Amino acid sequence: MADDKSGRDKQAHDEERRQREREIAAELERGDETEPPVDASTLAYFETELESVEFPATGAEVVSAVGDREIESVVETYTIADLIPDAPAESFDSPAAVRNRIQRPTVATAMKRVVEAVARLPNAETSRSQREAYERTFRALADVDGDDDDEAIDAVADWIVDRVAEKERVPGSRDVRRQAAKVCRENGYAIRNDEWLGI
């Protein structure tokens, strides 16, 4: 790259983009939500119950071990079987990964629906990075739609499950983000271009 003004501008722009991506990834990894629907002490206690599970573990193994355990959120009580896909395709590296998933029950139930829909297709699967991108999209929707009902999450999960059933293929993570942005705009939610859904 030439060492001129446009080259330096491009480098600065690329560095800003990489910094935003790092910040988003760090926020996602921390599960940095302002008010998680499941109490932190409940999650910590649940994490100790996972000691009987050998990690890494599939969703099916987690459900088999603690599927009937109940978790109370701000609005509803769920069992772990309601939140974790009973499928070998989904795997968790540690109890903290399970905890992070169930921290937002609406996101967890959406992910469960998607993973189990894909598992019903012959010869279809989602990569770990694709599932992480789906989850990141659902978390972004939860942040945009601050209501307790999280209608935007349900709408996008319905869209993915319908696409899997109708077309018998898994939509790409970029297509899911586009659909999520469309749902947000149709419902009057503002999305900045520098946000995950700002495509």
Side-chain angles (χ1 to χ4, degrees), residues 33-96:
E33 288 97 18
T34 53
E35 290 185 57
V38 178
D39 180 61
S41 61
T42 301
L43 289 171
Y45 179 72
F46 167 71
E47 199 170 329
T48 63
E49 292 186 11
L50 288 172
E51 291 174 0
S52 64
V53 179
E54 187 174 326
F55 286 90
T58 65
E61 291 168 334
V62 172
V63 169
S64 174
V66 294
D68 59 347
R69 169 67 163 88
E70 291 185 343
I71 296 287
E72 276 189 50
S73 76
V74 172
V75 295
E76 194 173 333
T77 299
Y78 300 87
T79 65
I80 298 306
D82 294 333
L83 304 174
I84 299 293
D86 191 359
E90 184 77 86
S91 65
F92 299 92
D93 294 331
S94 66

Side-chain angles (χ1 to χ4, degrees), residues 15-189:
E15 179 55 33
E16 287 174 13
R17 180 185 49 78
R18 285 191 297 273
Q19 180 62 31
R20 279 194 311 270
E21 288 172 355
R22 285 191 295 269
E23 288 169 0
I24 289 170
E27 182 175 320
L28 179 63
E29 191 171 317
R30 285 191 312 267
D32 191 18
E33 288 97 18
T34 53
E35 290 185 57
V38 178
D39 180 61
S41 61
T42 301
L43 289 171
Y45 179 72
F46 167 71
E47 199 170 329
T48 63
E49 292 186 11
L50 288 172
E51 291 174 0
S52 64
V53 179
E54 187 174 326
F55 286 90
T58 65
E61 291 168 334
V62 172
V63 169
S64 174
V66 294
D68 59 347
R69 169 67 163 88
E70 291 185 343
I71 296 287
E72 276 189 50
S73 76
V74 172
V75 295
E76 194 173 333
T77 299
Y78 300 87
T79 65
I80 298 306
D82 294 333
L83 304 174
I84 299 293
D86 191 359
E90 184 77 86
S91 65
F92 299 92
D93 294 331
S94 66
V98 176
R99 174 186 174 162
N100 192 39
R101 172 66 60 86
I102 66 171
Q103 181 178 16
R104 293 297 294 254
T106 52
V107 171
T109 54
M111 285 300 297
K112 174 183 170 67
R113 289 182 57 213
V114 168
V115 170
E116 290 179 351
V118 172
R120 288 190 290 272
L121 284 182
N123 303 320
E125 61 181 52
T126 54
S127 67
R128 182 182 198 108
S129 64
Q130 190 173 19
R131 287 191 308 274
E132 288 172 354
Y134 284 3
E135 183 174 0
R136 189 172 179 183
T137 299
F138 289 135
R139 285 180 179 268
L141 284 169
D143 291 341
V144 169
D145 181 6
D147 298 338
D148 290 336
D149 55 7
D150 289 318
E151 291 175 4
I153 294 173
D154 292 337
V156 173
D158 288 344
W159 182 83
I160 296 170
V161 170
D162 289 346
R163 296 280 292 226
V164 168
E166 291 169 9
K167 300 188 182 262
E168 295 189 351
R169 69 177 188 82
V170 182
S173 56
R174 189 170 183 82
D175 292 334
V176 171
R177 284 174 53 201
R178 281 190 183 118
Q179 181 63 24
K182 179 181 173 186
V183 166
C184 287
R185 289 184 182 105
E186 286 173 354
N187 288 291
Y189 299 122

